Structures are given as structure tokens and as C-alpha cells.
Amino acid sequence: MIRLFDSVFGEVRDLDLRDPGRLSMYVCGPTVYDLPHLGHGRFTLVWDVARRWFTFRGLDVHFVSNITDIDDNIIARAEREGRTETAVATCFEAHWWEAMDRIGVARPNDVPHATQYVAEMVELISTLLARGVAYPTSDGIYFDVSRVADYGLLAGQPLESLRAGARVEANDEKRSPLDFALWKNVKSGEPSWPAPFGDGRPGWHTECVVMSLGLLGDGFDLHCGGFDLKFPHHENERAQAVAAGRPFARHWAHNGWVMVGDQKMSKSLGNFTSLTDLLEKTDARAYRLLVLRSHYRSPIEVSPATIADAERALGRLDGFARRFDLPRLAGRRLEVGSTFAWPAPALELYERVARCLDNDLDTPLAIALLFDALSSANTAADRGDESSARELALGVNALFGALGLALAGDGATVDPASAALVTQRDEARGQKDWAEADRLRDELVHLGWIVEDSASGTQIRKS
RNA sequence: GGCGGCGUGGCCGAGUGGUUAGGCAGGGGCCUGCAAAGCCCCGUACUUGGGUUCGAAUCCCAACGCCGCCUCCA
């Protein structure tokens, strides 16, 4: 049984699925008006890991994540740069997928785009108007939050206390500061779609509720996103579904954010680093390992120091993969646990790791167990027990693969000149000509190789 | 003001009422011609002050410090 912290109940609960064996999950995706930043990297990695693990455990996962391709920020950027909104969205969506590919985030089963669902949004807004839970103002259609009895469920506080903390908005026709725009009336020069209540464009909160229900159906299993989306975004999505009489997500899960120093990385603070920049100078797997080493609900510190730390740890994993010549797993493919043959020591490891991950995705504990197993395998190999060492190593590799972390066992191709130096060095060593052996090693190092001696002779790899 | 979270060894980062988290860095050792890799050992940590308990980093109370949401945000 998979258990996950549910944001509504504030506790870890059994994942109670709509259809046993099948899991429908929706993750709020990006608004494509700028390069993806580290926060995007974290949430996509967290939910990619979740999806991979659920799949590994045998669930048939239907994973949907959207692209918001129309909103104020896109319009503003288009205007500033003299491009069309479509051009801006297309450009940054391309950057998005490039980054996703590089950090090894598997593509969702469906990627709805907001602009493709406008007709359904218009329909929902019409329903809400007909039911009297939405009302027009001079600049659009608003949702009346007072009409949803349990508004504040996700925020964890009642409407009245939310209202007390809301900032005062000057000169507004809104009935409550908490009411939100379902539809924004067309302004000159801005893209718009026709609607019986006036041409315009949809509000952000309306997009996700329509797309999630549209692709996953009423009462889908799991709705995920960053903690900062819990309120008001998810609250408002839910409010619309409830007001329209449609069962919404059965479970809610939220991930912690990326910290820069002591502060949250956020748009308003302008302190974000683009994921694209990070990937320029870092092995993308290091970011995945960094994410895996802390719990998904905890904040993580991403800095040159923590990234470097993860890179060194990754180096150890890669050395392990080389030692046992492990097959490279976990690319675009989602692994399924039942397809692996688990020898006894590996099976025990799998069961222990599964206990951690099934329990609210405790990846840090799982990683700790995997590092322990790695040491055990090395120890076994050191004392000459090659076969059980290898069995355990294969298990470690399969489990890292399950989490989307490919251990790199395959070395770089060795050019003939370097290969010749290796041969000469082995000969020199055979004759105990240490001076010559050291000279040849220096030469290889100079060529950019890391030189390691082993029982089977000189091994080199790129540094 | 309301709601929520956090404070762990040099750094990152888990954790549970009583037995080793783990990684990285550092020190010592084994192995090795030397090195690298690997293995073994070591630092005996838990913001502060009370309390509950045979026993608390883990539960309760208080204090201090920090962060977040209530506005765009993943």
C-alpha cells in the first residue's frame, strides 16, 4: 500500500485509488514566459520520482501535466519584445522540454495546453454563472468564494480568517478580496476568445480545473504541485469544481521549495537561477541526487556547495557502476519492478527500500540504504565474493534506476594513442620499471585521463 | 493579525521515546611499487529553559531565532 502525506488532512494516509491498480495524477505545470528555474527543476524531479516509483511498484499511472501558454506574463513579455504571445510561449516551451530532457524527467502521458481548452473553460464559466456562483464586473467574470461552504479547506483556515489577512485592493468591484477572476475581458491588442459573456481570456485557476477534469475525469486520484500553489491556486481550482458539482481530486500533495540562502526562490524576489544555467556546468544527475537526498516536503538549499557535494557523491556511484560494469538504466523509460530478477540479497534490499518509498516517498532513507548496500557490495567484492557482490550491485542499480538516476558505468571511448600508453605502462609495471610507469601515468593524466590500477591492469577514464 | 513549518555533529541532510541514518569534507589504518579506487576505524550532534518519564534530539509548556502562505510564484 502506498502512503502519502495529504495536504487536506495534514497527515500521511493510504492512497485510496478511484480504480484499484490505476493512478491518475495531475501536476500543475509551468507558465512558459521565461527559462525554467531551479524551483521548476525541483518540482518536476519530485513528481517524476513519484511517478516512476508508483510505476515501478506496478501501478498503471496516468500522468498529466499542463503548459500554461496564455497569461499576463506572456502578454507582457510579448509586448515588451514586439513578438506575438504564441511566439513567446512556443519559444519558452521549447526551452522547457529541453531542460526536462536533460534532467531526465519523463514526458507526461498528456500535456494539455491552456489555449486548447478555452471552449471547455467557457462552458465551465457559463455553468458557474448559471448557478449564481460567478458574477460579472467591468473587467471580467469573478468567482464568489462565499458560495463554497468549505472554502479554505486547503488553506487550513476558514474563509473569515483568510479574508482578515487579505490585502486591501483599491477600487474593486469584487465582492470579496478573495474572489478571483475566471475570465478577463478582452483589452486591445491582447489575444482573446469568443464567449457568450464577452470576448476575453481565461484566468489561471480555471485552466487547471478544466484540464485536469477533462483528461483524468471526475474524482481523479492525486493533484500535486509546489506548496505555494496550495493557496490560492489549488483552493480555487477545487472551489470551481465543487461549485460546478463535480468531484475533484481525492488526494493533494505538495512539494517544498528551493531556498537560496535563507529565502525561498521566487519570482517576486527575483533571486532565481535558471535550470538551463545550472545544466550548462553540472551533471544533471547531481541535481536529481540532491533532490532525492532530502524529503520532498522539505525545503532544499541549492548552492554551488550543495551541488558540488552531490557531484562528488555521484562520482562514487559512477565508480561503483564501473567496478561492476552495471547496465545503464532509467533513461526515458519507466522501469517496472516485476521485470527485474531479484537474487536474495537484492530482493531484501528492494523490500527495505520499498518500505521507505511506499511510506510518503522517503527518498533520503532509501538513498541511505542504497549507499549502505553499495558499501556491502564493495566489501564482498574486496574479499573475493564476486557473485554475491554483483547480485547486490545489480539490485542497487535497479533501484537507482527506479528513481530515474542512471549510474554511469560505461567509460569513455579510449583513443588508440592513449590505449597504446596504457599498454606500455602495463609492460613497464610488469618489469617493475616504476620510473617509466610513473612517466606514462603523468602523460595520460596530461591527456585528461584518471588512471586507476587494478588486478586486471591499468584502467583509465575521463576526468 | 490568522494559518503552517523549521532550528541536528565542519557542511548538506534523515530520524525514532531506550540499539549505526546516509552523503560530503577531515583524521588514522589496511591494500598498493607509489598513487587512484575500495575497505575498516574516529569526531560521540540534536537552539535555550522548564516539565512528563526508569529513560527525550524524539512528548508537553515557555522563550529565542528563522522561514513560508494569506499578492504573481513550483
Side-chain angles (χ1 to χ4, degrees), chain A residues 39-56:
Chain A
H40 293 117
R42 159 89 127 164
F43 95 80
T44 51
L45 283 167
V46 161
W47 301 117
D48 179 67
V49 166
R51 173 202 193 177
R52 285 176 185 272
W53 180 248
F54 299 152
T55 302
F56 196 80

Side-chain angles (χ1 to χ4, degrees), chain A residues 401-420:
Chain A
L403 300 174
L405 194 68
L407 307 193
D410 43 346
T413 317
V414 179
D415 60 279
S418 299

Side-chain angles (χ1 to χ4, degrees), chain A residues 56-70:
Chain A
F56 196 80
R57 291 296 264 163
L59 291 175
D60 178 12
V61 181
H62 188 175
F63 186 95
V64 177
S65 191
N66 70 291
I67 296 284
T68 295
D69 56 353
I70 183 65

Side-chain angles (χ1 to χ4, degrees), chain A residues 78-153:
Chain A
E79 199 166 305
R80 200 164 64 239
E81 299 180 350
R83 309 155 77 182
T84 64
E85 285 77 12
T86 308
V88 169
T90 305
C91 162
F92 289 109
E93 184 177 347
H95 283 292
W96 175 263
W97 295 119
E98 191 189 332
M100 290 302 107
D101 287 348
R102 291 192 59 182
I103 55 175
V105 167
R107 294 290 174 106
N109 299 108
D110 291 296
V111 183
H113 288 62
T115 55
Q116 294 166 350
Y117 280 79
V118 177
E120 288 88 337
M121 295 178 208
V122 167
E123 198 178 322
L124 172 67
I125 295 167
S126 297
T127 301
L128 296 174
L129 280 166
R131 291 187 171 218
V133 290
Y135 58 92
T137 70
S138 56
D139 68 344
I141 308 293
Y142 282 81
F143 186 93
D144 184 346
V145 299
S146 71
R147 299 296 305 278
V148 174
D150 59 358
Y151 190 83
L153 184 73

Side-chain angles (χ1 to χ4, degrees), chain A residues 147-264:
Chain A
R147 299 296 305 278
V148 174
D150 59 358
Y151 190 83
L153 184 73
L154 278 157
Q157 49 185 328
L159 185 59
E160 276 317 308
S161 94
L162 283 166
R163 200 197 300 269
R167 295 176 196 202
V168 180
E169 294 180 66
N171 184 27
D172 204 328
E173 301 164 53
K174 283 158 67 171
R175 294 175 189 171
S176 158
L178 296 171
D179 290 354
F180 57 92
L182 297 167
W183 189 255
K184 299 182 180 185
N185 291 340
V186 63
K187 291 190 203 133
S188 70
E190 291 187 357
S192 70
W193 288 262
F197 37 82
D199 293 2
R201 60 190 168 87
W204 180 42
H205 308 307
T206 303
E207 299 172 2
C208 282
V209 68
V210 163
M211 294 186 284
S212 56
L213 286 172
L215 284 159
L216 296 172
D218 287 8
F220 63 90
D221 295 309
L222 180 61
H223 196 131
C224 313
F227 268 124
D228 43 2
L229 294 188
K230 192 159 70 164
F231 190 92
H233 183 55
H234 288 162
E235 187 79 54
N236 290 347
E237 282 186 55
R238 183 180 170 280
Q240 291 170 81
V242 168
R246 302 187 63 177
F248 205 47
R250 298 165 72 88
H251 299 277
W252 293 88
H254 295 94
N255 62 277
W257 36 65
V258 170
M259 305 295 285
V260 177
D262 289 333
Q263 285 184 312
K264 177 194 168 198

